[in-house]
Amino acid sequence: MSDEEVLKSLAFQSGLGASQDRSQVVKINKEDVLPNAMPGRRFSANSSRKGYLYIDTWHIIGPWDAEASDNGVINFTKIYPLERRMDLDARYTTGKTKRQFSDEREYQGEDTLTGKLSWKFYQSPTVEVRIPRGQLANDALYFAYTEVFFEEATTLDVAIASDDAARIRVNGKVVFEDNLLSKYEIGEQVRRVHFKKGINKILVRLVNGTGPCRFSLLLTPEIKK
Ligand SMILES: [Ca+2]
């Protein structure tokens, strides 16, 4: 053992006051799945049955200041304008102007931001879609948006996970809501989701407490229940 001092994490505390839920049941065997999942955003009847597919291309906007929790639970009752009407050309000057951040590689710091926000294109190399370091902040709100194309109307089981709280809409309908600052598990919840023929719109509203901020949608060929 070296006796050099090792820098400790700054251990930023989330100011949102939401409790942590460590009780998720993992339904996906990540050792089997993650090395084999393929990126995609256009799906035919065949492609969806061959193996695991993750949605890799997104537009991401944020950070805004996240609102404090209600008794440990992130309050999703407020609806933001872009949840009603999507506009990828929208510009905002209401973003966070100060941030602390620490990513999954424990790169961390604090600095100031302009507060100016616009949608940024992001292609994720991994199943988990990570908020890029330039946008990462503690106690922050983000939105991520994508459109996926299905050649036929399809119902699929989708393994959804978020770090931290998230509400996810497919074609306006909420398919996932996690209102705790929970640990990220790739198989956090499996939802049976209906995708219509043609373009399907997916909107993720994501709240980060501290540390990395990420989510994933993994389309599963079959889940043994
Ligand atoms: Ca986090």
Side-chain angles (χ1 to χ4, degrees):
M1 281 281 283
S2 160
D3 58 4
E4 288 181 75
E5 188 182 351
V6 177
L7 284 178
K8 293 232 169 39
S9 162
L10 295 179
F12 294 132
Q13 294 290 310
S14 166
L16 302 183
S19 56
Q20 303 257 331
D21 179 1
R22 304 263 182 227
S23 64
Q24 279 84 18
V25 178
V26 180
K27 302 186 185 88
I28 303 283
N29 182 341
K30 53 188 171 189
E31 281 72 30
D32 285 348
V33 170
L34 296 193
N36 300 314
M38 298 292 292
R41 59 177 163 162
R42 188 179 177 98
F43 305 97
S44 67
N46 284 335
S47 67
S48 60
R49 287 187 194 119
K50 276 180 191 149
Y52 290 87
L53 291 163
Y54 70 96
I55 300 171
D56 65 326
T57 48
W58 294 87
H59 293 85
I60 296 173
I61 193 168
W64 279 277
D65 283 318
E67 292 181 18
S69 67
D70 285 346
N71 298 316
V73 173
I74 298 295
N75 185 349
F76 280 117
T77 55
K78 179 175 173 181
I79 307 287
Y80 287 86
L82 60 79
E83 288 181 87
R84 292 208 174 87
R85 186 178 168 278
M86 175 53 49
D87 178 7
L88 286 174
D89 294 324
R91 298 271 190 281
Y92 300 89
T93 56
T94 51
K96 238 174 155 47
T97 52
K98 288 181 184 168
R99 69 165 178 171
Q100 296 177 321
F101 66 95
S102 53
D103 71 10
E104 67 284 346
R105 294 180 179 169
E106 302 193 359
Y107 184 91
Q108 55 191 289
E110 49 191 317
D111 57 18
T112 57
L113 301 169
T114 63
K116 292 178 181 171
L117 299 179
S118 58
W119 289 95
K120 306 251 187 277
F121 180 76
Y122 181 68
Q123 188 154 26
S124 178
T126 58
V127 172
E128 55 178 78
V129 180
R130 298 167 181 152
I131 298 296
R133 189 181 287 168
Q135 290 171 272
L136 186 63
N138 293 344
D139 297 343
L141 167 71
Y142 301 89
F143 288 92
Y145 178 75
T146 196
E147 294 176 354
V148 294
F149 186 89
F150 279 80
E151 288 182 0
E152 296 165 28
T154 309
T155 300
L156 282 176
D157 287 343
V158 183
I160 302 175
S162 66
D163 167 3
D164 288 284
R167 176 163 69 194
I168 300 179
R169 296 175 186 278
V170 175
N171 298 324
K173 187 176 173 189
V174 175
V175 299
F176 175 87
E177 192 168 280
D178 172 12
N179 54 16
L180 301 172
L181 298 184
S182 55
K183 193 168 100 174
Y184 176 84
E185 292 286 1
I186 202 78
E188 188 170 316
Q189 294 194 36
V190 177
R191 295 292 168 83
R192 187 151 287 176
V193 178
H194 179 71
F195 296 94
K196 64 185 183 184
K197 180 179 178 175
I199 291 171
N200 291 260
K201 299 177 177 185
I202 304 177
L203 179 67
V204 179
R205 173 171 157 185
L206 191 61
V207 174
N208 192 30
T210 58
C213 183
R214 52 207 156 153
F215 65 93
S216 55
L217 281 86
L218 186 64
L219 309 185
T220 68
E222 185 189 0
I223 293 284
K224 292 190 176 66
K225 299 209 170 66

